């Protein structure tokens, strides 16, 4: 009886490893083509992985909490059923509908993959631009009852200490987020699980593993500090008129963040050398303005990306920002929505601070920071007045431009903040 080893497939976005969150099958269990067999967590998202052929589970390579490298054995199955799917690595037929990078649409040689900083685009792929993080087709979710399709639902239940096998959907056969939230509300004495596994030493020190999203962030920050010679410049501006315009447009759903994003897009169109990155000895000026912005999520600070922001009206930009912000708060963003940025807007004023010298979001070449807006004395037409003042900070990669371009961009944004109607008239 032949055995087949299913290796952890390439999950895209340059990711090189994943942590086993939960096995969905037991040893000796029968599995079918495209059945989800394991839940893994990468630095970008939690993903249910389907197997591309049928058989009986012979070996599960790893336990919950283990980190598995891409291409390493994940699960071995005994081939005791008629083969309807090509062996992994060969051209697939119609047996598997699974579309994870690495199999199902033809598997490229894994030796072509080169290690890149997490969050970097993997330019080596030619697999029809398949996004392994997109929602899987319904055929992939055929599991034992109760069915759980969303990785977010599994994570929410795990964080609340709930056993999915004890829950039943309020309607239908699929457990949804509302079912988990109802169960958590009914257990008012249940404490939330710790987000990280930690060990308390004899001397009382707590040791928390640098893993998952925190590890990815650390690697990216190190790459930025190691590779990018950055500089920061700043200016105080009168934001009184900006707040007045925001108040007038609030009923239209246009937020302060959306107005600042509009100013950034207009500024980058005036100074395209800042919408760039450095690749080896080459400066790459990006045609698209993919605007990232800092947002809080259940997994910590993330940077969702509004793609093609230069094509959007202010209203459409506000809608995109609002949608990404809402889904960041629920942890419902895909890895594809957290990568590919060309410029970052960091509104750290919401944290109650005036200024910062941030680390650039590698491999981007520039970032605009906005501090809190507070009452300060300000000279207006030669008279002292109390105005709404904020500090704008601009951090840039000195390889892509000199201080003239950086200062010009920052002054452009400052003028837009002080006289927003003039710029918005053309948007």
């Amino acid at each position: 009886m032949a055995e087949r080893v299913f290796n952890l497939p390439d999950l895209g976005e340059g990711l090189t490893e994943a942590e086993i969150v939960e096995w969905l099958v037991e040893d000796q269990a029968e599995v079918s083509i495209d059945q989800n067999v394991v839940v893994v967590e990468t630095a970008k998202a939690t993903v249910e992985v389907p197997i591309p052929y049928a058989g009986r589970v012979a070996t599960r390579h790893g336990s919950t909490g283990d980190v598995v490298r891409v291409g390493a054995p994940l699960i071995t199955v005994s081939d005791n059923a008629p083969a309807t799917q090509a062996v992994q690595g060969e051209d697939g037929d119609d047996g598997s509908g699974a579309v994870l990078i690495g199999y199902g649409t033809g598997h490229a040689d894994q030796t072509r993959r080169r290690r890149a900083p997490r969050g970097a685009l993997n330019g080596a792929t030619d697999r029809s631009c398949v996004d392994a993080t997109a929602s899987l087709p319904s055929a992939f979710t055929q599991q034992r009852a109760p069915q759980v399709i969303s990785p977010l639902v599994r994570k929410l239940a795990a964080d609340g200490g709930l056993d999915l096998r004890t829950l039943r959907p309020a309607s239908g056969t699929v457990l949804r987020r509302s079912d988990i939230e109802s169960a958590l509300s009914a257990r008012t004495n249940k404490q939330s699980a710790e987000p990280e596994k930690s060990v308390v030493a004899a001397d009382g020190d707590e040791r928390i593993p640098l893993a998952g999203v925190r590890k990815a962030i650390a690697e990216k920050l190190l790459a930025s500090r190691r590779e990018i010679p950055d500089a920061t410049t700043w200016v105080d501006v009168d934001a009184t008129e900006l707040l007045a315009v925001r108040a007038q447009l609030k009923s239209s759903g246009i937020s302060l963040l959306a107005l600042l994003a509009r100013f950034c897009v207009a500024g980058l169109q005036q100074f395209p050398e800042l919408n760039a990155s450095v690749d080896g000895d080459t400066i790459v000026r990006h045609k698209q303005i993919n605007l990232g912005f800092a947002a809080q999520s259940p997994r910590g600070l993330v940077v969702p990306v509004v793609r093609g922001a230069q094509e959007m009206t202010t209203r459409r930009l506000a809608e995109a920002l609002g949608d990404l912000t809402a889904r960041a708060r629920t942890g419902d963003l895909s890895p594809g929505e957290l990568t590919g940025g060309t410029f970052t807007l960091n509104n750290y004023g919401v944290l109650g601070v005036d200024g910062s010298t941030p680390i650039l979001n590698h491999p981007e070449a520039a970032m605009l920071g906005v501090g809190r807006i507070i009452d300060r004395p300000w000279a207006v037409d030669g008279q002292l007045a109390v105005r709404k003042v904020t500090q704008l900070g601009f951090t840039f990669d000195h390889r892509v431009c000199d201080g003239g371009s950086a200062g010009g961009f920052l002054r452009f944004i400052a003028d837009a903040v002080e006289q927003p109607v003039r710029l918005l008239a053309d948007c």
Side-chain angles (χ1 to χ4, degrees):
M1 180 170 55
E3 290 187 341
R4 292 179 176 179
V5 178
F6 173 46
N7 299 326
L8 179 66
D10 180 357
L11 299 174
E13 299 294 343
L15 300 173
T16 59
E17 62 185 22
E19 178 181 343
I20 296 175
V21 175
E22 178 188 3
W23 283 104
L24 304 179
V25 295
E26 302 292 338
D27 290 336
Q28 302 305 312
E30 293 286 345
V31 293
S32 56
I33 293 174
D34 292 344
Q35 178 179 338
N36 293 330
V37 293
V38 67
V39 180
V40 298
E41 182 179 20
T42 71
K44 301 299 182 182
T46 304
V47 181
E48 295 187 357
V49 181
I51 193 168
Y53 37 74
R56 182 185 298 276
V57 177
T59 307
R60 294 177 296 170
H61 300 279
S63 304
T64 300
D66 289 350
V67 175
V68 182
R69 302 281 298 180
V70 168
L74 185 63
I75 186 171
T76 299
V77 298
S78 300
D79 187 16
N80 59 349
T84 55
Q85 169 65 30
V87 176
Q88 182 184 1
E90 300 175 358
D91 293 336
D93 55 23
D94 294 333
S96 173
V99 188
L100 277 178
I101 295 175
Y103 72 91
T105 56
H107 179 58
D109 187 351
Q110 290 185 359
T111 59
R112 294 194 327 178
R113 298 183 68 251
R114 53 189 177 92
R115 184 175 181 86
R118 288 183 175 178
L121 295 178
N122 183 0
T125 181
D126 60 355
R127 304 178 183 93
S128 305
C129 299
V130 174
D131 184 359
T133 64
S135 297
L136 297 177
S138 58
F140 298 172
T141 62
Q142 297 175 356
Q143 311 176 56
R144 60 189 183 279
Q147 295 181 25
V148 184
I149 297 176
S150 170
L152 177 61
V153 169
R154 289 188 179 277
K155 185 177 187 305
L156 189 62
D159 289 345
L162 296 177
D163 186 347
L164 292 172
R165 293 172 296 181
T166 67
L167 303 180
R168 291 295 176 265
S171 61
T173 60
V174 178
L175 280 173
R176 304 186 183 280
R177 180 175 179 173
S178 58
D179 298 316
I180 305 301
E181 290 175 341
S182 296
L184 290 173
S185 297
R187 296 171 57 185
T188 56
N189 62 339
K190 181 68 179 180
Q191 297 181 343
S192 297
E194 290 289 334
E196 297 100 1
K197 300 175 182 178
S198 61
V199 177
V200 178
D203 59 3
D205 291 346
E206 185 179 10
R207 303 182 67 85
I208 303 173
L210 189 60
V213 67
R214 293 308 310 173
K215 182 179 179 182
I217 292 173
E219 290 178 352
K220 199 166 190 179
L221 294 177
L222 284 172
S224 183
R225 270 288 183 253
R226 183 173 56 247
E227 299 175 18
I228 301 178
D230 57 19
T232 300
T233 184
W234 56 87
V235 64
D236 290 340
V237 296
D238 181 358
T240 305
E241 292 302 318
L242 175 63
L243 292 185
V245 169
R246 190 274 304 269
Q248 297 176 38
L249 296 176
K250 188 175 181 179
S251 60
S252 299
I254 297 177
S255 63
L256 181 61
L257 180 65
L259 293 174
L260 293 171
R262 167 53 58 207
F263 301 159
C264 287
V265 172
L268 291 172
Q269 290 174 320
Q270 290 288 322
F271 297 89
E273 61 268 32
L274 297 172
N275 189 49
S277 59
V278 175
D279 182 10
D281 295 328
T282 303
I283 295 175
V284 182
R285 291 188 179 178
H286 303 290
K287 180 179 180 181
Q288 289 264 105
I289 296 177
N290 296 335
L291 184 66
F293 65 99
Q296 286 294 332
S297 80
R299 308 179 75 208
L301 188 68
V302 296
V303 183
V305 176
V306 178
R307 298 180 182 274
Q310 79 282 354
E311 302 292 341
M312 298 181 179
T313 63
T314 303
R315 186 189 299 274
R316 177 68 189 91
L317 188 56
E319 292 172 350
L321 289 167
D323 172 63
L324 290 170
T325 299
R327 291 193 289 115
R329 289 170 179 164
T330 60
D332 198 29
L333 291 174
S334 72
E337 294 172 312
L338 296 170
T339 56
T342 60
F343 184 92
T344 294
L345 170 60
N346 189 355
N347 183 17
Y348 42 70
V350 299
L351 302 177
V353 299
D354 297 327
S356 173
T357 54
I359 299 176
L360 288 175
N361 188 19
H362 184 277
E364 297 171 15
M367 174 188 295
L368 178 72
V370 184
R372 60 176 179 161
I373 302 176
I374 59 175
D375 289 341
R376 286 184 182 174
W378 195 263
V380 181
D381 297 328
Q383 299 294 319
L384 191 62
V386 176
R387 304 288 284 184
K388 300 293 185 182
V389 178
T390 188
Q391 184 183 95
L392 303 177
F394 184 61
T395 301
F396 62 99
D397 185 339
H398 228 314
R399 296 174 298 177
V400 306
C401 72
D402 55 24
S405 295
F409 175 86
L410 184 58
R411 192 64 250 174
F412 178 93
I413 301 297
D415 291 343
V417 169
E418 294 185 334
Q419 300 178 355
V421 174
R422 178 179 297 182
L423 185 144
L424 292 172
D426 296 326
C427 297

